[in-house]
Amino acid sequence: MSQRTVYLETFGCQMNELDSELVAGQLRALGYRFTPTPEAADVVLFNTCSVRERAEQKVWSRLGELQLRKKVDPGLVVGVLGCMAERDGVDLVRRMPVVDVLVGPGELDKLPGLLDNAVRTRESLISDDEAVASGKAAAKSARQVALQGNTSRRSATLAAAQDSLELLDLSRSVSPIDADDRAGKRSAYVRITRGCNKFCTYCVVPFTRGAEIHRPPEHIVDECKKLADAGVIEITLLGQTVNHYRFEHGAAVSVDGIVQPQKGRAFAGGHRRDPLAGRNVTTFADLLRRIHDEVPSVKRLRFVTSYPRDFGDDVLEVIRAHPRICRYLHVPAQTGSDRMLQLMNRGYSVGEYLEFLDRCRHYLDQPEIGRPLMLSGDFIVGFPTETDEDFDATIDLLRKARYKNSFIFKYSPRPGTIAFDKLADDVPEATKRRRNNLLLAEQTKISDDISKAQIGREFEVLVEGLSRREEKRRKRQIATAPGLVSLTVGGRDAADEAPGDACGSDDHDCGCSTKVHVLSESDAAVQLSARTDSDLIVFVDAPVDRDPQSFVGTLQRVRINTATNLSLHGEMI
Ligand code: SAM
Ligand code: SF4
């Protein structure tokens, strides 16, 4: 068994976070140990994102740092996983010979084998004194292993019927949640579809993650049950166009007794019901209903990201009728200009998008029973040829849609996409920045209004942990006791250090001249961060006579008292 130490850093979306969790589970089962700092690791893995150039730049700079380290540490193994591995392939290794292993999102199940190979190759190279002395060890190993890892999922994983990536999802290791360590672990992601068939002209996802694949409903429900048995109470279903989920049982194929995922053939019937729903086909609405009914200990069922087209009324009816399905939809519009929507190949008009939001509100917006519908959106500003009029139309859409928040991006041309090949990136950077800021300012006003409208309302919230303010306050209190000076450790404020770091000792009575103040329960009310089912963040004080940690991962009823700067503040009732 390997005792190698791994550092794994994840960039990008929830899908990548889930991929990292699955990969980490596999490596742990093989005896790898994980460390939170790259310096302490024998193996450094980056799970990468290519959606925007900035995310890639961060990885290039991390790899640059490792290139320097490898000169003095030839035993180091470096792996690039995910979208950059798929998109850049061997070019990435040519530019950064420090990379030993390259694995695209469609090949992650092969990582353990490739890593083992890379580790052994490194070991044999560093035992070769001549290779080390001549500095050739890094480049030699890198090429050997990268070529094996660089198989592309464009070769259609399902062509041979067996989808080995499904085995990675099925192998998910779920351990029971420790009562003392619940923060963040009561929530989990479950993938229902992979890839995307939409080919929005700006987007790399269909190229890096391949065709849309739908997992068998039994696998999804079983995974939810497994997570629920381990103590998970909130599940978020993941898919790039999550509402397109549809599994045709008549066409199901089994290999070695395992039902295989299917290539997506979404029902393109607008908001009409799928005529085969519930019989030969499991639709997205059926899947939500099944998870809700068959896994009752999951108290909150969420899903992202919804595509604003082909979202049936049947889904909205199921959400309305099932109390544990959350009233929150993330439905990116991208722009408010019909001309831009066409250039982006989004497949809907602004009118159709707004009609869709009206339908959603009609079914799901019920503030009177504490269940308002909240929406969030994505926008791209500065897409090629975007004029001031196009941008004004986007502002107009933002005002009409009234999202609780929006993710706003400046257009980033991505090699390999249709827009990159056909449309010049002709909106100046300064204009992109200005439009980004204007849209953000408009969204901030709306978010603020929405927050204020919640004052006086009561909600059930899931407590997620200490608020960030509370965490900072704890660090400050550790560093500065009343009447004592604040500490500086290694040039940094001691408030940023963990308890005990201040004097370099875990023992606060170690004899050093400065005392570290340890927070006690009686100091003040501790602020917790919680979330409503419609995804609004609420800050709430834990009762002073109770251990604040005991609330983490629990559902509580709160009343909203104030709303400041986009956040809600409430009290437990
Ligand atoms: N599948 C989701 C959908 O269609 O709405 C979105 C997935 S995409 C990975 C996340 C967001 O990144 C998109 O909604 C879009 O706003 C943004 N995005 C994608 N490609 C981009 C690009 N080339 N430049 C800027 N933003 C981009
Ligand atoms: Fe990208 Fe469009 Fe697919 Fe979303 S729907 S992942 S934006 S191609």
Side-chain angles (χ1 to χ4, degrees), residues 51-52 202-203 205 240 305 307 332 334 346 378-380 409-412 414:
V51 168
R52 282 171 295 279
Y202 50 80
C203 185
V205 171
Q240 295 296 350
T305 304
Y307 196 72
Q334 311 299 356
R346 288 291 287 182
D378 289 2
F379 287 94
I380 297 177
F409 308 106
K410 290 180 286 174
Y411 171 62
S412 168
R414 306 310 295 134

Side-chain angles (χ1 to χ4, degrees), residues 497-517:
E497 304 293 328
D501 281 350
C503 64
S505 165
D506 286 336
D507 175 6
H508 306 311
D509 289 315
C510 62
C512 69
S513 57
T514 314
K515 293 291 172 213
V516 173
H517 175 74

Side-chain angles (χ1 to χ4, degrees), residues 51 195-207 212 239-241 244 305 307-308 332 334 344-346 378 380:
V51 168
C196 182
N197 289 346
K198 295 307 303 172
F199 290 96
C200 301
T201 53
Y202 50 80
C203 185
V204 291
V205 171
F207 305 98
E212 192 177 280
Q240 295 296 350
T241 51
H244 283 186
T305 304
Y307 196 72
Q334 311 299 356
M344 291 178 174
N345 188 34
R346 288 291 287 182
D378 289 2
I380 297 177

